[in-house]
């Protein structure tokens, strides 16, 4: 216990060098400051980070049983005094059994009576707070007197006496809560004092060790390093505990039955105060034994930032511990733990058919899960039969609470096995902004599970018969790029989900200012009719930008935008053939056409592979791409200028636009930007060119 402070420094208004007077039963943490004429009564707790400075105004009084919590500041002015309960003058008086909670400011002249509660970040200045008052969080009390037994709500600003007189009275539940806080802090004070008393802490430690060793059985042994091993845990759990303890973290445990697990309503086991591995393992085994047949997880706690740094499920309902292996290491494996097959390698073509109904995941889906988890996102799963898929009425599978790859993949395979013959998709969830960052279909009816993103649909064969006038075979070629099959895919997918198709057009000036004009909604819901209408719009607005829009009529929002035509394209009427609907478009101007390798992967002559991969990743998650440039002077002042906006969400068109920006601004800095259009924020910035 640190029961001493420092004298007030000699100043024009204080030359007495007064020392604090601290009762021997009080606990003053070593990381707090107590300076000058301060009287601290019996059984007071002064927590870490507290500053009590009577170096200008004095004296201060803190009554018996009160607690001054982390980050509290108590200070006073040279002038101005209050009358304490002993009828003496003080700069600050704090009564008995009063809680001054985290980050509060008590600035004299100030009086706080007995049994009061001053909430987080609240301020009391030049005021009196009567006995039994409850002041909630972020409140300001200044130049007033609060009558005894009054309740001040959070965020209140009480600066006039009329406001103070109209405050409501404290309810019995509020008074019980304030008394509860005092009791907790008194227990903390006793604990801190015991921790600094060798005799006291030795007795506690010996009792814990005796309990642990008495409960030892053949299921627990020591390796040749003398470290504790337990067959009630997997080697991963034991290693996790050691790693967390070595990094200075504390260990906590929680348990949940099946219902609470599904709703993520975990309950805490007894807190683990020790940082010794043997004590922690003993406490974990106690929690497992008390909650057999339930989920149990351990987690690391960063006591400084007061946050969790890791979570690991160490027991599931139905798990049975196995016997120790010959080397004495933990050999427990959960009976339903997910064991990836073939190390997540894509099965050979001959094996795909046999795996199509096993719930196995394609390599792309596994990589998508890893990528989302590495970015801190959570994973969700939804399924839908054909009718629900057409109306976009998906239903959720069991929620995935874990952030461990093996458990997530296990839950995905369980959902696939539970819903064969239906659509299943995985979802990336940003828990902070509560938004979806990606949606990936991993199973379709009548086919083996595979990845298919809405922004890049798989190959599609038109199901309608081309008209007899189709004499030539055409391929979609917008701005020099073949897109016919992709456009047909996009339209068909939007129609199958119940969306409508509309069009917009713009000349160069309107395109640069994003002032598109509407071409109207296409009445038809048939693929042939929609494609014909798109051809007519392109022919009607030759020499202008034309784009198709997917519209969700229920929520009245756009779900897709695809540019079909750009100025300079010599648009002719589309040719329909047995191979699909085509837009035969020629371009006399040079275009940036990203190359593809033999497997269809996107390449670029000016962008490196990291940038290309970043583009594909951002587009697959539904983000928009932008670009900015800056010369050396603007770069130093971070005054970037925007390149032409990129309206498309197709990778080859985005790469072409970025290459155009690079060409136009040679010798400058150029960076690519990922944009979340929903929250209107940037999600990434990547430098793609330097002088």
């Amino acid at each position: 216990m640190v029961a001493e402070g420092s004298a007030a420094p000699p100043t024009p208004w204080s030359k007495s060098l007064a020392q604090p007077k601290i009762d021997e039963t009080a606990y003053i943490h070593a990381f707090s400051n107590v300076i000058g004429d301060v009287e601290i009564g019996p059984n007071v707790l002064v927590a870490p980070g507290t500053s009590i400075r009577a170096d200008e105004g004095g004296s201060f009084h803190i009554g018996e049983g009160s607690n001054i919590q982390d980050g509290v500041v108590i200070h006073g002015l040279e002038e101005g005094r209050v009358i304490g309960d002993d009828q003496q003058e003080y700069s600050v008086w704090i009564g008995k059994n009063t809680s001054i909670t985290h980050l509060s400011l008590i600035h004299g002249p100030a009086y706080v009576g007995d049994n009061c509660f001053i909430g987080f970040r609240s301020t009391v200045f030049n005021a009196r707070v009567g006995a039994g008052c409850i002041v909630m969080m972020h409140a300001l009390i200044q130049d007033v007197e609060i009558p005894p037994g009054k309740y001040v709500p959070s965020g209140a600003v009480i600066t006039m006496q009329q406001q103070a007189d109209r405050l409501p009275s404290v309810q019995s539940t509020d008074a019980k809560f304030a008394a509860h806080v005092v009791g907790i802090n008194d227990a903390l004070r006793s604990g801190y004092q015991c921790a600094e008393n060798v005799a006291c802490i030795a007795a506690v430690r010996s009792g814990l060790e005796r309990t642990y060793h008495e409960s030892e059985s053949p299921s627990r042994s020591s390796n040749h390093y003398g470290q504790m091993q337990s067959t009630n845990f997997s080697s991963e759990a034991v290693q996790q505990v050691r790693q967390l303890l070595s990094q200075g973290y504390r260990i906590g445990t929680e348990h949940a039955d099946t219902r609470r697990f599904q709703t993520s309503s975990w309950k805490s086991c007894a807190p683990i105060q020790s940082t010794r591995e043997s004590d922690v393992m003993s406490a974990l085994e106690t929690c497992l034994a008390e909650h057999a047949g339930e989920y149990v997880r351990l987690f690391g706690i960063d006591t400084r930032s007061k946050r969790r740094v890791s979570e690991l499920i160490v027991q599931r309902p139905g798990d049975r511990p196995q016997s120790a292996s010959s080397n004495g290491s933990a050999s427990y494996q959960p009976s339903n733990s997910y064991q990836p097959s073939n190390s997540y390698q894509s099965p050979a073509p001959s094996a795909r058919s046999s795996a199509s109904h096993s719930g196995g995941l394609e390599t792309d889906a596994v990589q998508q899960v890893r990528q989302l988890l590495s970015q801190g996102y959570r994973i969700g799963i939804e399924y839908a039969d054909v009718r629900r898929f057409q109306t976009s009425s998906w239903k959720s599978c069991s929620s995935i609470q874990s952030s461990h790859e093996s458990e997530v993949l296990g839950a995905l395979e369980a959902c696939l096995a539970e819903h064969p013959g239906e659509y299943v998709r995985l979802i990336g969830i940003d828990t902070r902004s509560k938004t979806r960052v990606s949606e990936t279909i991993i199973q379709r009816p009548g086919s083996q599970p595979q990845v298919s993103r809405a922004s890049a649909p798989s190959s599609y064969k038109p199901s309608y018969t081309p008209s007899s006038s189709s004499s030539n075979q055409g391929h979609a070629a917008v701005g020099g790029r073949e897109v016919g099959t992709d456009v047909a895919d996009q339209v068909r997918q939007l129609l199958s989900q119940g969306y409508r198709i509309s069009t917009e057009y713009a000349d160069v000036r309107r395109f640069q200012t994003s002032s598109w004009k509407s071409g109207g909604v296409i009445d038809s819901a048939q693929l042939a009719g929609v494609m014909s209408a798109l051809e007519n719009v392109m022919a009607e607005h030759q020499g202008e930008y034309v784009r198709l829009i997917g519209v969700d009529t229920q929520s009245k929002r756009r779900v897709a935008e695809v540019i079909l035509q750009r100025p300079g394209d010599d648009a002719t009427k589309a040719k329909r053939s047995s191979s699909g609907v085509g837009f035969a478009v020629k371009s006399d101007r040079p275009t940036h056409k990203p190359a593809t390798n033999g497997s269809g992967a996107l390449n670029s002559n000016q962008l490196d592979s990291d940038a290309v991969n970043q583009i594909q990743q951002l587009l697959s998650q539904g983000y928009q791409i932008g670009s900015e440039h800056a010369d050396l002077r603007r770069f130093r002042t971070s005054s970037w200028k925007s390149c032409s906006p990129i309206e498309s969400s197709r990778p080859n068109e985005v790469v072409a636009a970025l290459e155009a920006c690079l060409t136009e601004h040679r010798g400058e800095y150029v960076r690519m930007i990922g944009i979340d259009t929903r929250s209107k924020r940037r999600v990434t910035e990547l430098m793609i060119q330097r002088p």
Side-chain angles (χ1 to χ4, degrees):
M1 178 182 69
V2 179
E4 57 184 285
S6 57
T11 60
W13 52 85
S14 176
K15 297 183 179 180
S16 63
L17 303 179
Q19 291 276 0
K21 302 179 184 66
I22 302 172
D23 190 275
E24 61 181 10
T25 61
Y27 179 83
I28 314 298
H29 196 276
F31 291 165
S32 60
N33 290 318
V34 181
I35 300 173
D37 188 6
V38 180
E39 181 183 358
I40 297 179
N43 300 323
V44 169
L45 169 66
V46 177
T50 299
S51 178
I52 305 174
R53 292 174 41 223
D55 50 9
E56 180 180 350
S59 307
F60 294 176
H61 172 88
I62 300 175
E64 177 181 356
S66 292
N67 56 89
I68 313 299
Q69 299 180 13
D70 311 66
V72 169
V73 173
I74 302 177
H75 197 236
L77 296 178
E78 177 187 2
E79 298 180 354
R81 295 293 181 268
V82 295
I83 303 300
D85 292 348
D86 60 359
Q87 303 305 311
Q88 301 297 317
E89 289 188 350
Y90 293 89
S91 180
V92 174
W93 172 279
I94 295 175
K96 300 177 181 179
N97 299 319
T98 287
S99 295
I100 311 297
T101 65
H102 312 295
L103 299 176
S104 298
L105 169 61
I106 309 297
H107 205 291
Y111 172 97
V112 180
D114 298 344
N115 303 305
C116 285
F117 178 91
I118 308 298
F120 315 139
R121 293 183 180 272
S122 291
T123 299
V124 179
F125 169 61
N126 193 31
R128 291 181 65 92
V129 179
C133 286
I134 305 292
V135 179
M136 299 305 289
M137 284 65 79
H138 292 264
L140 170 62
I141 300 174
Q142 178 180 344
D143 304 329
V144 296
E145 180 176 351
I146 306 293
K150 293 297 182 180
Y151 178 86
V152 180
S154 295
V157 178
I158 311 297
T159 57
M160 294 187 296
Q161 191 58 43
Q162 295 90 331
Q163 294 174 295
D165 294 337
R166 291 197 298 265
L167 289 170
S169 298
V170 169
Q171 301 297 317
S172 58
T173 54
D174 300 322
K176 289 180 181 178
F177 170 72
H180 176 66
V181 172
V182 170
I184 288 176
N185 281 270
D186 186 60
L188 284 172
R189 177 190 57 79
S190 300
Y192 280 126
Q193 288 174 325
C194 178
E196 295 184 357
N197 185 321
V198 175
C200 178
I201 198 65
V204 174
R205 284 178 176 171
S206 62
L208 288 172
E209 291 177 358
R210 184 171 56 257
T211 302
Y212 184 73
H213 290 298
E214 286 174 355
S215 62
E216 277 191 337
S217 65
S219 65
R220 189 187 302 112
S221 60
S222 299
N223 61 15
H224 58 282
Y225 294 107
Q227 294 173 317
M228 296 305 301
Q229 300 287 346
S230 171
T231 58
N232 286 342
F233 300 100
S234 65
S235 58
E236 180 185 7
V238 175
Q239 187 63 30
Q240 181 87 331
V241 170
R242 289 176 183 161
Q243 181 178 352
L244 291 170
L245 292 176
S246 67
Q247 295 176 357
Y249 298 132
R250 304 294 290 271
I251 306 296
T253 51
E254 292 178 328
H255 65 94
D257 56 23
T258 303
R259 181 180 64 82
R260 286 186 172 274
F261 177 78
Q262 292 174 347
T263 58
S264 191
S265 304
W266 294 79
K267 300 181 73 175
S268 296
C269 297
I272 304 175
Q273 303 296 339
S274 176
T275 57
R276 297 180 58 191
E277 182 182 327
S278 59
D279 297 342
V280 172
M281 299 304 294
S282 175
L284 288 174
E285 290 192 341
T286 300
C287 183
L288 290 174
E290 287 181 359
H291 303 285
E294 297 187 39
Y295 293 89
V296 177
R297 68 180 179 190
L298 69 88
F299 54 91
I301 306 169
D302 186 341
T303 54
R304 295 185 180 180
S305 59
K306 298 181 180 178
R307 63 182 180 89
R308 298 191 180 195
V309 295
S310 175
E311 291 180 354
L312 177 66
I313 295 179
V314 295
Q315 177 178 282
R316 296 173 178 271
D319 288 347
R320 293 182 180 178
Q322 301 175 358
S323 59
S325 59
S326 58
N327 61 0
S329 62
S331 60
Y332 170 80
Q333 295 292 340
S335 60
N336 59 348
S337 62
Y338 174 78
Q339 297 295 335
S341 59
N342 300 327
S343 300
Y344 300 117
Q345 297 299 319
S346 179
S350 60
R352 286 183 182 271
S353 60
S354 63
S356 61
H357 299 289
S358 67
L361 294 171
E362 295 282 348
T363 305
D364 288 347
V366 176
Q367 291 176 348
Q368 180 86 340
V369 169
R370 289 175 182 165
Q371 178 182 339
L372 291 169
L373 293 176
S374 67
Q375 296 176 356
Y377 298 131
R378 301 299 291 269
I379 305 296
I381 329 173
E382 293 181 332
Y383 65 95
D385 55 24
V386 176
R387 181 180 63 82
R388 286 186 172 274
F389 176 79
Q390 292 175 347
T391 58
S392 193
S393 304
W394 295 79
K395 300 182 74 175
S396 297
C397 294
S398 299
S399 60
I400 304 176
Q401 304 300 329
S402 176
S403 58
H404 287 274
E405 180 185 328
S406 60
E407 295 175 356
V408 171
L409 293 173
L412 285 173
E413 286 194 349
C415 184
L416 291 173
E418 190 175 348
H419 301 284
E422 298 186 46
Y423 292 88
V424 177
R425 68 181 180 188
L426 73 87
I427 303 160
I429 305 168
D430 187 343
T431 54
R432 294 184 180 180
S433 59
K434 299 181 180 178
T435 59
R436 299 188 177 195
V437 296
S438 71
E439 294 177 351
T440 304
I441 296 177
I442 58 177
Q443 177 177 284
R444 296 175 179 271
S447 65
Q448 57 192 11
Q450 57 185 353
V451 175
S452 174
R453 295 183 180 85
S455 60
S458 57
S459 60
Y460 159 73
K461 300 295 185 183
S463 57
Y464 64 89
T465 304
S467 63
S468 59
S469 61
S470 302
S471 57
N472 297 324
Q473 181 175 347
H475 298 280
V478 176
R481 304 175 192 86
E482 295 185 356
V483 296
T485 305
D486 289 341
V487 171
D489 276 343
Q490 186 83 351
V491 171
R492 180 177 181 274
Q493 185 174 12
L494 291 170
L495 294 176
S496 69
Q497 295 179 1
Y499 300 134
R500 302 298 297 272
I501 307 297
S502 67
T503 58
E504 290 181 335
Y505 60 93
D507 55 24
V508 176
R509 181 180 63 82
R510 285 186 172 275
F511 176 78
Q512 292 175 345
T513 59
S514 193
S515 304
W516 294 77
K517 300 182 74 173
S518 176
V521 178
I522 300 174
D523 293 333
S524 176
Q526 300 296 321
L527 180 60
V530 172
M531 300 303 288
S532 177
L534 292 176
E535 294 169 12
N536 294 336
V537 173
M538 291 177 65
E540 184 178 349
H541 298 283
Q542 293 185 26
E544 298 185 51
Y545 292 89
V546 177
R547 68 182 179 186
L548 74 84
I549 311 294
V551 183
D552 185 344
T553 55
Q554 294 181 351
S555 60
K556 298 181 180 179
R557 64 182 179 90
R558 300 185 178 198
V559 295
E561 293 179 353
V562 179
I563 294 180
L564 305 177
Q565 177 178 283
R566 297 175 180 271
D569 295 339
D570 182 17
T572 63
K573 288 189 176 181
K575 310 290 185 178
R576 289 193 293 266
S577 68
S578 59
S579 65
V581 177
F583 293 97
V585 180
K586 265 188 176 180
S587 176
D588 296 329
R589 60 181 174 83
T591 60
H592 296 274
K593 180 178 180 180
T596 56
N597 58 22
S599 62
L602 189 65
N603 290 324
S604 170
N605 295 327
Q606 299 187 47
L607 298 172
D608 60 23
S609 59
D610 289 341
V612 173
N613 291 335
Q614 184 88 328
I615 291 168
Q616 293 175 325
Q617 175 185 337
L618 291 169
L619 293 177
S620 70
Q621 296 177 1
Y623 297 132
Q624 291 274 359
I625 305 295
S627 56
E628 293 178 331
H629 65 94
D631 55 24
L632 184 59
R633 181 180 62 83
R634 286 185 171 275
F635 176 76
R636 288 174 176 171
T637 59
S638 193
S639 304
W640 294 79
K641 300 181 72 175
S642 296
C643 298
S644 299
I646 304 175
E647 301 293 335
S648 176
S649 59
R650 300 183 57 214
N652 55 353
E653 294 184 353
V654 171
V655 170
L658 290 173
E659 289 182 339
C661 182
L662 291 172
T663 302
E664 186 177 352
H665 301 285
R666 293 185 184 278
E668 296 186 39
Y669 292 89
V670 178
R671 68 182 179 187
M672 177 186 72
I673 303 162
I675 305 167
D676 185 342
T677 54
R678 294 184 181 180
S679 59
K680 297 181 180 179
R681 64 183 178 90
R682 299 187 178 195
V683 296
T684 187
E685 292 178 352
L686 177 66
M687 192 81 67
I688 57 178
Q689 178 177 283
R690 296 176 181 271

